[in-house]
Amino acid sequence: MFVKNGFLIFLLLLLLILNNTKMKKIILTAAAVFAFSFANAQDLKSSKGENYLPEAGDWSISFNADNLFKYAGNAFSNAGNNVIGQVQNSNASGSFTGKKFVTATQADRYTAGFELGNSSVTAGNGTETTATRINVSAGLGKEWRKGKTRLQGFYGYDLLANITLVDNTKTSSATAGTNEVKGGFGFGVGAKGFLGAEYFLFPKIAIGAQYTYGVSLNIAGASTSTNTPVTGPATETKGAKSTSFGVGNVGVASMSLSLYF
């Protein structure tokens, strides 16, 4: 009975976090997936003797599962064209977080990311705009867990840093010439705390949700804008340096699928 009530509390937590129509459909689908597991909900080992919960020495990776549950929910409705969409990880800006469990209830977290973007758009009047961005991020953190059933609560923190190496935009026109903006070197540091819960559907496979709350400091060097007209000399304009500080930055990794191995 305790495990069943704990499962219902977990669903309530997800509903509070994901309080909108689309997410409610996702949660109802998740509830249907969970229903079959009630018969053996008190077992922490499978019929093959596999542990459901993480153990000391285990590694973990997590993925954003919103699209997966949305796809499953649409399969039971008249949603029309139903596609699973782009797979994403559980972090913003293309970063990836892995965890290594020091004990069964404590893990070290490692975040790394490399963003390389290049785009080119040509307008109807022939104006072409290209943008290039290179960003590197890294972080370290700690995670603690509570719970002796397949419903596990977790909390912790991440310390993060990122460097923007390139952030350039170039606009070319046969009539107006070329304008190129080279962004200055950018650097940012931050820290975030998180609080959430997971439910283990299968041995070492869980879905979950979490809140995050953090602070960040970002510094950007001065940019340089060079305008080269079709006729006449080029002119160069120096931008200003900028610093920004934020507190809050509340985020929700709405639905995640975590694998432990």
Side-chain angles (χ1 to χ4, degrees), residues 108-257:
D108 294 329
R109 293 166 58 94
Y110 305 94
T111 301
F114 178 74
E115 178 187 0
L116 173 61
N118 186 273
S119 64
S120 178
V121 178
T122 302
N125 60 2
T127 300
E128 182 180 16
T129 301
T130 59
T132 304
R133 179 178 175 84
I134 300 177
N135 190 75
V136 180
S137 60
L140 296 173
K142 283 283 188 179
E143 178 179 305
W144 292 269
R145 289 182 165 254
K146 298 288 289 184
K148 297 181 180 180
T149 68
R150 284 158 61 176
L151 174 63
Q152 295 268 293
F154 60 87
Y155 60 93
Y157 67 87
D158 286 318
L159 303 178
L160 305 166
N162 68 278
I163 299 174
T164 301
L165 300 174
V166 177
D167 190 7
N168 298 342
T169 303
K170 183 177 181 180
T171 303
S172 301
S173 170
T175 56
T178 300
N179 186 70
E180 184 174 9
V181 179
K182 294 183 178 181
F185 178 82
F187 177 73
V189 293
K192 70 175 182 180
F194 56 86
L195 173 66
E198 285 185 333
Y199 188 84
F200 284 80
L201 291 172
F202 307 103
K204 305 298 179 75
I205 300 177
I207 70 166
Q210 71 176 31
Y211 278 118
T212 62
Y213 192 90
V215 297
S216 61
L217 172 66
N218 294 284
I219 300 172
S223 62
T224 302
S225 177
T226 303
N227 184 47
T228 307
V230 177
T231 59
T235 58
E236 185 175 283
T237 304
K238 197 76 170 180
K241 298 179 180 179
S242 66
T243 302
S244 63
F245 178 75
V247 178
N249 301 323
V250 178
V252 178
S254 51
M255 290 288 289
S256 62
L257 173 66

Side-chain angles (χ1 to χ4, degrees), residues 45 51 53-59 100-105 204 260:
K45 288 182 179 291
N51 289 321
L53 305 181
E55 303 170 86
D58 281 357
W59 283 86
K100 183 177 182 180
F101 281 79
V102 180
T103 69
T105 58
K204 305 298 179 75
Y260 299 81

